Amino acid sequence: MNLVFESVLARSPNPYVILDASLVIQWANAAYLSATESRWDEIKQRGIFEAFPSEGESYRQLKSSFDRVLETGEADEIARIPYNIPNAQGGFDTHIWSATHTPFLDENGDVEYILQHTVRITGLEQSGSERDAASVARRAEAVEERYRGASKELDRFRSLLEQAPGFVAVLSGRDHRFVMANAAYRQLVGQRKLVGRTVPEALPEVVDQGFIQLLDDVLDKNEPYFGKKERILLNSGKDGELEARFLEFIYQPIHGGDDFEGILVQGHDVTEEVAFEEHQRILINELNHRVKNTLAVVQGLAKQSFRSEPGSTGIDAFSNRLAALASAHNLLTERSWEAADLESIVTGSLAATAGSDSSRYSLTGPKVVLAPQTAVTLSMVVHELCTNALKYGALSEPAGFVEITWRMQPAETEGTLLIFEWSEHDGPVVVEPQTGGFGSRLVKRGLGSPDSRTTLEYRASGLYCRIEGKV
């Protein structure tokens, strides 16, 4: 059976009118002309609000309904709306209507036409018993009131999301079709048309980058996906060129009524932050390089200065201390001079002085992160202890062993106290020196802070050093 559906609609007893995306009247059937008491030559190719002027709440209701259809690409209904229709006497008659607006999309997913189906319920309210008419009117008003309330809540929610500083979008179904996207998201993708389109249609460049597979996995596993500074190439709208962006985001699976299945996309653009971190890394590496060059110059000057003292070991001690300082500097550079792990500091100093044989010492303690200045100071202290153990203490004999422990505990007043202990075993008998050199003075400074305290005991089993201070 072949039917010309324009003829079907033309003969329908129900009023129909077709508008384009600019709300200009393109077609209307006889029932619509009769219901609105108008002629086709009077309303064709005219805007709906030009052909049928309105203001106040009636205008806002109808305009809001059209806007929702154009924005979402989905049908919208108005349960009850009063609207003025011109009459034969040149005035206006107020009629009560119920309207349904159904969109027709083009091949790109944009709204091309809107079919308006109206039902005039004025006659229904004015006919039959007063009780039936009042009942119909009350039901229609109740439905409309609930609809208005829900619509206002939805509009407020959309307004909040629209103004959110981070990008937000909602995708529906297994084809990942955009239901909404806020201003930040639209700006991110170059102000492209999104609502009503699938992700591959709207953002074809992300398909080969694996993001569609990520969306599929979120729905299949029903688990969120967290993106951490992920690099993505996006068409920003400038000459169609792809631009690298770095994003922090989450794909959150969502489920709603009417078997709705979709994904909430939420995040923010951290491209500038990543660029700043890279710039900072380059500057720190350059600074580290320049400091190393400076230390090399200092070392060269020291060698020239110590030439006047034949057989002196001072130059060796000085060079070793410079090497320890450079090692601590390298460790902090790797961490952008923010903080350093205590165990890494101790391990680095031991390896630089005592070698890589970890069987000669043990390390026991919790994870502790030290500020840069404290890290450098402790590194120099451990270097001096290692040097002393190699020359005179436990590490000078094959059976010697060093036990290193640390712990944290609350300070007596406020803050946290670090207690660091160095215990030597099975080495030669140690004797307290009569005079103290630079190395012993450095060890006694402890962590370098005013509240730091150092205890040195020359036990029969070997040297014991305890350092405590706030960190």
Side-chain angles (χ1 to χ4, degrees), residues 198-369:
T198 64
V199 172
E201 290 170 348
L203 310 174
E205 67 270 27
V206 308
V207 176
D208 293 335
Q209 299 180 58
F211 288 94
I212 304 301
Q213 184 60 52
L214 289 179
L215 293 171
D216 291 339
D217 291 343
V218 168
L219 290 181
D220 291 340
K221 299 176 183 178
N222 196 31
E223 295 178 353
Y225 174 84
F226 297 89
K228 300 294 184 182
K229 295 182 180 177
E230 293 209 15
R231 183 175 184 269
I232 178 173
L233 296 175
L234 286 174
N235 183 348
S236 62
K238 301 174 183 177
D239 303 324
E241 295 183 0
L242 295 181
E243 182 181 3
R245 311 298 295 177
F246 292 86
L247 308 178
E248 294 262 358
F249 63 91
I250 177 176
Y251 289 159
Q252 175 69 49
I254 52 178
H255 302 279
D258 300 325
D259 296 325
F260 178 83
E261 180 182 49
I263 295 175
L264 172 67
V265 181
Q266 186 176 5
H268 55 282
D269 188 342
V270 293
T271 304
E272 292 185 1
E273 177 184 334
V274 171
F276 174 79
E277 290 174 353
E278 177 63 16
H279 180 65
Q280 185 181 48
R281 185 189 65 81
I282 292 173
L283 289 178
I284 289 176
N285 287 341
E286 177 64 22
L287 175 63
N288 187 43
H289 176 70
R290 292 179 181 273
V291 169
K292 283 183 177 180
N293 288 343
T294 302
L295 291 177
V297 172
V298 171
Q299 191 172 29
L301 292 173
K303 287 181 178 180
Q304 294 290 331
S305 302
F306 280 110
R307 279 182 178 178
S308 60
E309 301 179 21
S312 173
T313 60
I315 182 61
D316 295 330
F318 183 76
S319 296
N320 289 335
R321 285 166 182 152
L322 277 181
L325 180 61
S327 175
H329 192 276
N330 281 337
L331 180 64
L332 288 167
T333 299
E334 292 174 1
R335 290 157 177 77
S336 301
W337 277 87
E338 293 182 353
D341 178 61
L342 187 151
E343 183 173 353
S344 299
I345 295 169
V346 175
T347 302
S349 297
L350 286 168
T353 311
S356 58
D357 187 3
S358 60
S359 64
R360 302 295 304 276
Y361 55 83
S362 68
L363 304 176
T364 306
K367 183 175 180 61
V368 177
V369 177

Side-chain angles (χ1 to χ4, degrees), residues 300 395 414:
L395 297 182
E414 61 179 10

Side-chain angles (χ1 to χ4, degrees), residues 21-40:
S22 300
L23 305 182
V24 174
I25 298 172
Q26 300 296 321
W27 181 89
N29 68 353
Y32 181 86
L33 298 175
S34 175
T36 57
E37 300 178 11
S38 59
R39 298 199 313 268
W40 174 239

